[in-house]
Amino acid sequence: MTNKILHNMLHLCLALSLVAAAVSCSNSARNEFDRLLVTLAADDATIDHADWEKIVSYIDDNKAKLSDFYDGDTLSVEKVKTYISKMFDKRRPPLHIEFTGIGQAEHMAINMYLERSGSMTPYDAPQGDGTFKSAIVRMLNNLPGSNDDNKIFVVNSTITSYPEGFASFISDNNIFEATKGLGDPSYTDFGAIFETLLNKTGDNELGILVTDMIYSTKKMIGTNPTKVFTEAQGMINSVFKDVVKKKSMLIIKMRGSYNGPYYTFCSPNAGSTYNGHRPYYIIVVGNNDNIARLTKDPEYGSFAKFESLPGYQAMYMFNTSDEYRPYYSLLLRNTNIRGRFQPEHGQPKAITRIKGMKADSNSGDMRMVLAVDLNGMLIAKDYATDISNYRVIADSPVKLLKIMPINKEDITPAEKKYIGSATHLFVLEAKDISHKQEVEIRLQNRLPAWVAESSSDDDRDTDAPRFADTTFGLRYLLQGIYDSYERNSNGEPYYFSMKLSFDD
C-alpha cells in the first residue's frame, strides 16, 4: 500500500470519526429532549405555556444539534409541535398531546365590558348584599399577571372606554356611579357589543361581558313581545356567522340582589321599584385554544372556577369543535361489570380495546365500566353527568345506563392505574357483540334546560313567582346563538368523544 493511499485512508477514517461523533452528539441532544418531553407531558398529555418555555429554552441551548426545528434563525412552532405529536403518537399506547398557550404571551389580555343600562345599576345599590360586585371583583382578582394590558369598557348605546383604568375599577366602591354619564342607559346595542366580542377579541385576549341579557332597542314602547324576539334573533343572525368556528362563548348565569327601578319591555323609560333578587350573566369569549387554556393552564385554574363565584347558578358553553379529550379507561374489576372480556395486548395504562366478549349466562347481556375524568372542562357537572346528553354510536346495541362519581371502594390496588385521574364511572350495557366494531360515546353540545327555565315572555309583573329567576326573552337570544354555532358545526356539535373497540 502506497503512502498516498494510506494518507487518504487516514483522512477518511478521521472524517468518518468526526461525523460519527457529531451524529452521536446530535442523537444525545435529541434523546435528552425526548426525555424532557416525557417528563413534561406523559402524565397530563398537555404542553402548556410553562412547559413550552422549558422546551424553547432547551432547543435554544442546543440550537446547533437541533437545527431542523428552525426556519433560518427562527424557531418554528409548528415543526416543534409536529415533532412532539408524532413522538407521542408512536408510544404504546399512543398519547394525544394538547397544546395550550403555545407561542403566545405568558398571560392573556382581558377586555371587560360592563353593561351600564337602567336595569343594571340596581345590582350594585347601597342597600344590596354586595354579591354582584363581589363576584366580579373575585373573578378579576383571580386573573394571573398584572393588569397593565387589561381594559374596561362601559356598554349601552355605545362602547366607551372606562377612563379610570382596570385597577381603579376593581377597587371602586360604586362602579356604576363612577361610570355615570357614559353612553345612553335607556337601551343596549347588543349587535355592536356581540360584534366586538366576536370580531375584536384578539388571538391572545379574552372578552368578558357582564350584562342582564335583556334585549332592548330605542323604540320599545308599544312593541309586541313577539316582534322584540324576532328582532333579537335577526340581530344574532347578522352577527354570529362563520367566525364562531374559531370562537367559543361561555355564558354563566349569576344571581344578585336588586334594589331600584326595573324597566319592563314595554316601559323602557318609566321603571317600577323592585327589591329582591335578579339574574345577570357573565359571558366569556375567546378563540377555541384560549377557552381551552382556561382549564388546562394551571395559572388560570382559579379564574376558571366560575362555579365558586358568589351567586353562581349555571353555565353553558357554545362551540363548534370537540375541544376536550378527557382521560378514560375501561376497568377490569368492578361490582357493576357483568359477563366476560379481556383487554387486547399493548395497553399498560388506559384500556380502550377489549376482546373475547361473552354475555352473562343469567342476564344474557354484558356490562362494562368506563372510568372517565370529567374535571378540567367548562361544562356544568349536572350536564356532564346526565346520560340523556350522551349519544352512543355502535353497530350493535350499546347503551349508557348510568354515570356515578368514583368512591373509595372503586379504587382498588388492581384498578388504580386504570382509574388514573378519572372522576366518574360510566356503566355501559351491550348485547349481541357478534363482530369487531368501534364504539363511540359523545357528550352532545345541546342548549341546556336551564335556558328555557330562565326565560320569560312577559316581565311586567314583578310580583310573579318566577320573576327573581327569569330574564325577558333570554331563550330567543340564546337559541339564536346556538343555531349559529350549530350551522357552522360538522353535524350536531359535541364537547368530546370517547372511542372504544369491542370484539367478540
Side-chain angles (χ1 to χ4, degrees):
M1 184 178 293
T2 67
N3 289 339
K4 185 176 181 180
I5 295 174
L6 182 61
H7 179 76
N8 289 339
M9 289 183 66
L10 288 172
H11 270 282
L12 178 62
C13 289
L14 179 60
L16 290 173
S17 298
L18 291 174
V19 169
V23 170
S24 177
C25 288
S26 178
N27 287 342
S28 176
R30 195 168 298 272
N31 290 339
E32 187 63 32
F33 181 54
D34 290 349
R35 284 192 287 271
L36 172 64
L37 295 177
V38 170
T39 301
L40 295 175
D43 290 334
D44 61 4
T46 300
I47 298 292
D48 60 24
H49 184 85
D51 295 334
W52 185 254
E53 293 295 305
K54 295 174 184 175
I55 289 169
V56 170
S57 177
Y58 181 86
I59 295 175
D60 281 345
D61 289 343
N62 296 272
K63 186 174 181 179
K65 301 167 187 174
L66 301 173
S67 58
D68 54 314
F69 290 136
Y70 289 82
D71 289 328
D73 290 329
T74 304
L75 181 67
S76 170
V77 173
E78 288 308 311
K79 285 182 179 180
V80 179
K81 287 172 64 176
T82 299
Y83 178 86
I84 295 172
S85 296
K86 287 183 176 179
M87 176 193 141
F88 281 97
D89 280 344
K90 293 176 181 177
R91 287 171 64 87
R92 290 292 176 266
L95 191 62
H96 177 87
I97 298 297
E98 296 285 341
F99 297 92
T100 175
I102 304 306
Q104 299 176 354
E106 184 177 2
H107 300 119
M108 293 179 279
I110 303 298
N111 294 320
M112 179 173 162
Y113 302 86
L114 173 69
E115 182 186 355
R116 195 196 185 285
S117 61
S119 56
M120 281 293 291
T121 56
Y123 285 103
D124 198 35
Q127 62 269 44
D129 62 13
T131 54
F132 175 81
K133 177 69 182 296
S134 174
I136 295 172
V137 170
R138 183 185 298 185
M139 177 181 65
L140 297 180
N141 279 335
N142 283 334
L143 285 166
S146 69
N147 294 323
D148 294 343
D149 296 325
N150 299 332
K151 299 175 182 177
I152 299 285
F153 298 88
V154 175
V155 299
N156 39 48
S157 64
T158 60
I159 301 175
T160 309
S161 179
Y162 178 63
E164 302 302 323
F166 200 88
S168 176
F169 177 84
I170 293 176
S171 61
D172 204 318
N173 290 328
N174 191 325
I175 56 178
F176 289 116
E177 183 63 30
T179 55
K180 192 174 183 179
L182 298 178
D184 181 355
S186 65
Y187 77 100
T188 302
D189 189 346
F190 275 106
I193 293 169
F194 282 122
E195 178 79 30
T196 299
L197 280 171
L198 286 171
N199 294 303
K200 295 186 179 179
T201 300
D203 288 340
N204 197 44
E205 294 180 336
L206 289 179
I208 301 175
L209 169 64
V210 179
T211 172
D212 62 7
M213 284 294 284
I214 299 177
Y215 182 77
S216 59
T217 62
K218 284 184 179 180
K219 299 177 180 179
M220 293 283 285
I221 298 176
T223 303
N224 186 303
T226 303
K227 187 174 186 296
V228 176
F229 305 146
T230 302
E231 286 183 7
Q233 290 194 317
M235 177 274 295
I236 291 297
N237 288 333
S238 68
V239 174
F240 285 74
K241 297 182 179 179
D242 60 355
V243 67
V244 303
K245 293 179 181 179
K246 301 177 182 179
K247 296 285 174 70
S248 296
M249 174 178 287
L250 177 71
I251 180 165
I252 306 158
K253 182 184 179 184
M254 305 290 292
R255 194 171 193 253
S257 64
Y258 189 105
N259 303 88
Y262 179 82
Y263 301 87
T264 66
F265 78 91
C266 60
S267 181
N269 299 318
S272 58
T273 301
Y274 173 77
N275 295 306
H277 287 87
R278 290 286 298 152
Y280 69 95
Y281 302 87
I282 298 173
I283 298 175
V284 183
V285 175
N287 65 37
N288 295 330
D289 287 343
N290 284 342
I291 293 297
R293 182 180 178 183
L294 293 181
T295 53
K296 294 174 182 175
D297 188 334
E299 288 205 68
Y300 284 90
S302 296
F303 172 75
K305 291 180 180 177
F306 301 111
E307 291 167 297
S308 67
L309 294 176
Y312 169 88
Q313 289 197 304
M315 68 179 176
Y316 170 69
M317 185 169 67
F318 299 93
N319 70 359
T320 60
S321 57
D322 54 330
E323 285 297 321
Y324 297 120
R325 290 177 173 81
Y327 172 86
Y328 59 95
S329 173
L330 289 164
L331 301 184
L332 300 179
R333 292 179 181 83
N334 188 274
T335 56
N336 289 282
I337 292 176
R338 206 149 69 186
R340 291 184 297 161
F341 59 86
Q342 61 189 59
E344 291 188 5
H345 295 301
Q347 301 179 92
K349 285 189 176 180
I351 297 172
T352 60
R353 307 185 309 275
I354 56 175
K355 62 182 181 179
M357 301 181 69
K358 301 295 181 184
D360 179 75
S361 57
N362 294 320
S363 64
D365 61 17
M366 291 160 284
R367 288 189 180 177
M368 287 72 64
V369 176
L370 185 68
V372 183
D373 185 357
L374 293 180
N375 278 339
M377 297 181 284
L378 292 174
I379 306 170
K381 283 294 185 289
D382 58 349
Y383 186 95
T385 56
D386 184 345
I387 62 171
S388 67
N389 292 324
Y390 287 84
R391 180 186 176 197
V392 180
I393 304 169
D395 294 343
S396 302
V398 178
K399 184 179 180 181
L400 175 57
L401 294 182
K402 57 184 175 179
I403 299 174
M404 310 170 294
I406 290 177
N407 57 46
K408 292 181 179 179
E409 289 72 27
D410 297 313
I411 310 176
T412 63
E415 295 296 275
K416 190 173 182 179
K417 66 177 179 179
Y418 301 125
I419 286 178
S421 62
T423 59
H424 288 75
L425 300 181
F426 288 46
V427 180
L428 302 170
E429 182 181 80
K431 296 180 180 179
D432 303 323
I433 302 296
S434 58
H435 64 280
K436 187 171 185 176
Q437 58 190 277
E438 298 298 315
V439 177
E440 184 177 2
I441 305 166
R442 291 180 179 178
L443 176 57
Q444 303 294 96
N445 185 340
R446 296 168 176 157
L447 208 58
W450 69 258
V451 172
E453 294 166 358
S454 302
S455 186
S456 166
D457 287 0
D458 192 333
D459 63 347
R460 287 174 291 184
D461 184 6
T462 58
D463 292 324
R466 294 281 297 158
F467 182 77
D469 297 305
T470 56
T471 298
F472 176 71
L474 180 71
R475 65 189 175 105
Y476 301 98
L477 276 174
L478 298 191
Q479 184 65 56
I481 296 174
Y482 180 85
D483 291 344
S484 298
Y485 273 88
E486 186 177 37
R487 278 196 302 272
N488 286 281
S489 299
N490 184 17
E492 187 176 10
Y494 57 94
Y495 286 121
F496 63 79
S497 170
M498 300 179 290
K499 295 181 179 180
L500 307 171
S501 174
F502 289 177
D503 198 359
D504 64 348

